[in-house]
Amino acid sequence: MKKYIYSVIIFACASFFSCEDILDRSSPGKIDSGSMWSSENLAEQGVNGMYQALRMPVWSGSLVGANTNLGYYAWEAFGMTGQTNKSAYGLFSDGNAGNTQFSSVWKWCFTGINRANDAINGLPNTPMDEAKKEQWMAEAKTLRAFFYMRLVELYGRGIGVPLYDEVVTSSTATKGQSSEAEVWDSIIQSLTDAIDTPNFPNNTIGKSGRVSKGVAYALRGKAYLMRSMSLNENHYALAVADFEKVEAMGYSLFGNYADMFKVSNEGNSEMLMVVQNIALQAWADASNLEPQYGSSVQKYCAPYQAGSKDSRGCWNDIQISPAAVDYFEVLVDDSTVKPFNWNDFIPGYNETGYADRMVYFLRNTKNSAGVDLHANITREVNLKLGAISSANSAKYLPSGNEERIKTVYANRDPRLAASIVTPYSSFVGVNSGSTGVDEYIYRWPALGMIYFDGANAESTLVPGMKSTLTSNNSSVLIYMFRKFVTEGLELDYRNTSPVDEPILRFADVLLMKAEALVELNKLSDAKSAVAQVRSRVGMPTMDKYFASQSDARNYVRDERRREFVGEGVNFFDEMRWKTIKETKFEYASRTALQVTGASAVGPTYVWRDSWYTWPVPKEEAEKNSNLKRTPGWTY
C-alpha cells in the first residue's frame, strides 16, 4: 500500500494555551489562518495538519524517561494490561493536578480540536472543487469529534469540558466547562453532520489512511455507548445501529490476527482509523522530534536483541502486565475453553510467595542426560535458589524446569503467542554489528553480557545452545511486546518503525456492539458478535459465558482485554467501566511482576475515587478562572 506523508508547512501551535497565537504568523515557513484557506493547495496543508495532530498522544517523559515520539501503545502503561518501570506511577500516587502528563494530554486534545475548527471555519471560503471541500469538512468534523471524545472521557466525566467551535488563543480561551451531556451532544452532532455528507467516502480501505463515513459511524456508536455508561442513559440501541452500519461501509475482520500488524498488510479491511508511519532517516535521530513520521514502538517495547539494519539494543520500558497474560484462556478442545489458572499447571503456585515463585522460571542447568550445561549457568541459578526458602528451592528441576514452565503457555489462546514474548519462547534478533540475525530463547536468569553475541555467545560456551533473549534490565523477567515489534532485519532504523498504529479497528466495533447488546439483554446476539472475533483465532465461544447478563458483561470485557493487549485500548475501557480500581490497583497489589522473582510486588498504586476524572491541569485553571477545578485533586 502506498503511504502518504502528511507533510505540512503550517502547524497550529504544538500546545494549547501556551503561545500567544495558536497559528504562529511570525515564524518563517508558516502562514496565517486566512491565507491557509485561500487556495486548494494551501488548504490541503491545513487538512493534513489535523492528521499530524493525531501523533504523540502521551507525554513520554513519565514513561520512558526521554522526550520522544510515543504512540497510542504507550497508553498500555496506564491500563491493567500494561506497566512501566518509570515515573508514570507518580500519576497514581501523588494526586497533583500539576503533573506534566495531565497538561500534555489536555494540550494534545485541544491542538487537534483547534486545527479541526480552523478547517471547519476556513474551508467554506476556499475556491476549490465542492465535492472535495465537502469531504474535507466531514473529515474535520470527524477528527474534532475524536479529540473531544478523548478529552471528555479523561477530563470531563461528571463535570464536562470547554466547548469551542472556533480557533482560540491563550487570550481568547476563556470558557468554562460545558456539561458532560452538552459535550456528548456536540460530539454526536459533529459525527452526524459528517455522516450526512454525500461526498464523504464510505471507507478508505487500502488508500490514504484518512477517516471515512465508516469511522464516523463507529465513533458515533462509541459516543452513544460511552454516554449511556457515564450518564446512566440508554442509547444502546442507537449504538448497535451505528456499529452495524460500519460493516455496511465495507469494513471487515482481517484473516490472520498476527499478520494484521505487519507492514505488508497495512491498509487492510479491519483498520478504520490509523496513524500512518513511515521510516525516514532524517527522523531516525531521537533528538529530532518533528515531524517524527515513524513509530518508536520498536525502541521502547522490543527485546534488547531486537533492532534494525542500523542498530540494535532496544529497551522495554513499556511492558505487558502479568495480569493481562492470565486473561488468555486455555483451549481444551475444539469446542471447549477454560479460564487460565496457574494451579492447573503448577500445583500450589498461587499459594507460593512472590519471591519463591522464581523457582518455576529458572532455566535448566543440566541437559536431558543430566550433564551440567555450563558452570556459569549453574552458578547464577544457584544464586537465585539461595535467595528463596529451602522448601521451594527443592521444587527446582535441573533438567526439566524450562519444559515445565513452557506448558503454562502452551494450548492457550493464539493471541497470547502473537502479542507477547513469553518465557522460553523464541525470537529472531539482530546479532552484533547489525549484520545478521540469530534465534534467541527467552530464558531467565540472563547471565549478563557473557551471553550476548560475539565470542562469548552461549552457542560458543554451550555448543548447540541458542543465545538468551533479554530485556534492557536482565535482572528481571518481564513480559515483552511481540505485537508491532519486528524481528530480524525488517527495519531500516531502530528509532523509526514504519508499522502503522491502529486507533480503531473493526474488531473493536464488533466488541463494542457486543457490549451494547449485553446492556440490552440480547445475549444471543452479543455472543454472535464476540464469536466473530474469536473464530478468527480458532477459539470457540461457549454458551455458558452468556447464560446471564452479568456473566456476558464480564466475558465481553475480558475478551476486549485479550484482543487489544498492547494497543493502548484497555486503559480507556477500564476507565469507562469504572473497573480500574479492581483490575489495576487491587489486582496489581496481589500479582504484579509475579515473574520477576522479586520480593516486592511491583509499583505502589494509591487509589483515590477522583482518579476516574483526570484534573483540569493546574496551569490551565490558573490562566482561565472560568474553569472549575476538578474535585479530589491538589492544586
Side-chain angles (χ1 to χ4, degrees):
M1 180 194 71
K2 181 179 179 181
K3 290 194 179 182
Y4 295 80
I5 303 176
Y6 296 132
S7 58
V8 288
I9 59 174
I10 329 135
F11 285 97
C13 183
S15 59
F16 194 55
F17 306 162
S18 63
C19 57
E20 278 305 309
D21 195 332
I22 204 73
L23 293 170
D24 185 357
R25 295 173 173 83
S26 61
S27 300
K30 298 182 181 181
I31 58 176
D32 63 35
S33 181
S35 299
M36 182 189 300
W37 309 108
S38 63
S39 73
E40 180 175 338
N41 287 340
L42 291 176
E44 185 173 16
Q45 299 295 318
V47 171
N48 289 347
M50 299 186 306
Y51 286 92
Q52 186 67 14
L54 290 170
R55 294 183 177 277
M56 300 176 69
V58 178
W59 178 60
S60 61
S62 67
L63 299 180
V64 300
N67 186 21
T68 190
N69 175 19
L70 294 185
Y72 293 76
Y73 62 86
W75 288 112
E76 283 296 298
F78 302 107
M80 61 78 54
T81 55
Q83 60 188 33
T84 176
N85 52 4
K86 299 295 182 181
S87 60
Y89 294 112
L91 290 176
F92 300 105
S93 59
D94 62 15
N96 184 1
N99 190 293
T100 304
Q101 192 65 252
F102 298 136
S103 58
S104 175
V105 175
W106 175 278
K107 291 171 183 177
W108 172 72
C109 290
F110 271 115
T111 295
I113 290 165
N114 231 17
R115 294 187 188 186
N117 279 336
D118 197 31
I120 291 167
N121 289 300
L123 278 169
N125 298 318
T126 302
M128 60 179 292
D129 176 75
E130 288 299 318
K132 184 179 289 188
K133 181 189 295 186
E134 286 183 7
Q135 177 182 338
W136 288 356
M137 288 280 288
E139 291 179 30
K141 291 176 180 179
T142 301
L143 289 174
R144 180 175 65 180
F146 167 78
F147 282 111
Y148 258 121
M149 285 178 70
R150 193 112 300 182
L151 190 72
V152 72
E153 65 185 319
L154 289 173
Y155 302 89
R157 189 172 282 106
I159 64 173
V161 296
L163 275 176
Y164 293 99
D165 58 10
E166 72 281 347
V167 177
V168 293
T169 67
S170 57
S171 60
T172 60
T174 57
K175 289 184 178 181
Q177 291 97 330
S178 295
S179 70
E180 185 180 357
E182 289 175 310
V183 178
W184 286 119
D185 285 342
S186 176
I187 290 169
I188 290 167
Q189 186 60 57
S190 287
L191 293 167
T192 300
D193 291 345
I195 288 167
D196 291 342
T197 300
N199 290 298
F200 199 22
N202 289 346
N203 65 69
T204 54
I205 297 170
K207 298 179 183 177
S208 66
R210 292 185 184 271
V211 294
S212 66
K213 190 168 293 190
V215 173
Y217 272 121
L219 290 177
R220 193 174 70 174
K222 184 175 183 179
Y224 285 131
L225 179 67
M226 292 173 62
R227 176 182 184 142
S228 297
M229 290 183 170
S230 183
L231 299 180
N232 195 28
E233 298 174 347
N234 188 342
H235 303 287
Y236 295 113
L238 292 173
V240 170
D242 275 352
F243 293 141
E244 289 178 345
K245 282 286 190 180
V246 177
E247 186 169 11
M249 296 294 103
Y251 291 99
S252 62
L253 291 175
F254 182 72
N256 185 289
Y257 182 83
D259 290 346
M260 175 170 49
F261 306 100
K262 302 295 185 182
V263 172
S264 58
N265 292 311
E266 288 173 344
N268 66 68
S269 62
E270 183 157 345
M271 300 299 179
L272 277 81
M273 189 174 179
V274 301
V275 171
Q276 285 196 313
N277 289 311
I278 189 168
L280 295 179
Q281 188 174 12
W283 315 118
D285 179 1
S287 65
N288 194 344
L289 291 180
E290 286 291 347
Q292 273 286 1
Y293 291 120
S295 167
S296 58
V297 66
Q298 184 89 350
K299 183 174 181 179
Y300 293 106
C301 297
Y304 179 86
Q305 285 79 10
S308 59
K309 294 173 185 175
D310 73 331
S311 61
R312 50 155 265 181
C314 296
W315 309 339
N316 6 89
D317 294 328
I318 302 172
Q319 307 143 15
I320 305 295
S321 72
V325 175
D326 290 355
Y327 273 98
F328 288 90
E329 298 163 304
V330 177
L331 181 61
V332 179
D333 55 43
D334 290 344
S335 60
T336 310
V337 295
K338 67 177 182 179
F340 170 76
N341 186 320
W342 277 97
N343 280 1
D344 291 343
F345 297 89
I346 303 176
Y349 179 94
N350 294 333
E351 293 72 38
T352 303
Y354 292 103
D356 288 352
R357 286 177 181 174
M358 80 163 76
V359 68
Y360 302 116
F361 295 92
L362 296 173
R363 62 188 300 167
N364 292 346
T365 54
K366 300 179 183 292
N367 64 21
S368 58
V371 177
D372 285 350
L373 294 170
H374 195 277
N376 288 346
I377 297 175
T378 301
R379 181 193 71 237
E380 294 297 324
V381 169
N382 284 341
L383 284 172
K384 297 296 184 184
L385 289 173
I388 64 177
S389 67
S390 57
N392 282 290
S393 64
K395 298 175 183 177
Y396 177 70
L397 306 176
S399 60
N401 226 52
E402 297 178 19
E403 289 71 19
R404 177 174 59 187
I405 199 66
K406 284 173 70 175
T407 65
V408 171
Y409 305 101
N411 299 318
R412 302 278 293 276
D413 185 327
R415 289 171 294 187
L416 173 58
S419 303
I420 301 166
V421 178
T422 56
Y424 300 93
S425 62
S426 67
F427 187 95
V428 178
V430 180
N431 65 23
S432 181
S434 305
T435 57
V437 301
D438 287 312
E439 181 184 4
Y440 294 81
I441 307 298
Y442 190 26
R443 305 183 186 93
W444 193 72
L447 308 185
M449 293 301 293
I450 65 167
Y451 286 115
F452 291 176
D453 343 55
N456 290 325
E458 277 186 274
S459 57
T460 301
L461 296 173
V462 184
M465 178 174 285
K466 304 292 185 183
S467 291
T468 293
L469 187 74
T470 64
S471 68
N472 57 307
N473 181 355
S474 60
S475 65
V476 299
L477 184 66
I478 59 176
Y479 291 119
M480 293 181 281
F481 278 61
R482 197 182 293 272
K483 185 183 286 184
F484 302 124
V485 168
T486 64
E487 300 191 34
L489 293 170
E490 294 180 52
L491 291 188
D492 289 326
Y493 312 110
R494 179 193 62 167
N495 286 359
T496 59
S497 169
V499 177
D500 285 352
E501 191 173 4
I503 301 174
L504 181 64
R505 53 188 179 89
F506 188 63
D508 198 347
V509 172
L510 287 172
L511 293 178
M512 286 191 291
K513 175 184 172 182
E515 277 192 73
L517 287 166
V518 167
E519 299 309 318
L520 293 169
N521 210 26
K522 296 183 177 181
L523 305 187
S524 178
D525 291 340
K527 175 179 176 287
S528 295
V530 173
Q532 288 185 64
V533 176
R534 292 172 60 82
S535 294
R536 168 169 56 187
V537 293
M539 292 294 283
T541 307
M542 300 175 65
D543 290 339
K544 70 176 184 178
Y545 295 119
F546 293 84
S548 71
Q549 189 178 43
S550 177
D551 288 345
R553 182 181 294 118
N554 290 332
Y555 197 75
V556 172
R557 291 177 179 181
D558 288 351
E559 184 63 17
R560 290 185 63 83
R561 293 171 178 130
R562 291 184 281 265
E563 175 70 18
F564 303 113
V565 66
E567 297 182 46
V569 172
N570 172 260
F571 171 62
F572 297 97
D573 282 349
E574 305 290 340
M575 289 281 279
R576 66 187 169 89
W577 298 332
K578 292 193 174 180
T579 52
I580 201 168
K581 175 185 178 182
E582 294 76 22
T583 58
K584 190 174 184 73
F585 289 74
E586 295 180 358
Y587 187 92
S589 69
R590 298 194 303 270
T591 63
L593 301 181
Q594 62 190 16
V595 297
T596 65
S599 57
V601 299
T604 300
Y605 307 127
V606 179
W607 174 256
R608 52 179 52 81
D609 289 339
S610 59
W611 177 246
Y612 284 121
T613 303
W614 276 19
V616 170
K618 180 180 178 180
E619 63 183 275
E620 305 299 345
E622 290 174 346
K623 291 176 184 177
N624 179 3
S625 60
N626 291 319
L627 281 174
K628 299 176 184 176
R629 301 190 178 200
T630 308
W633 293 88
T634 302
Y635 282 85

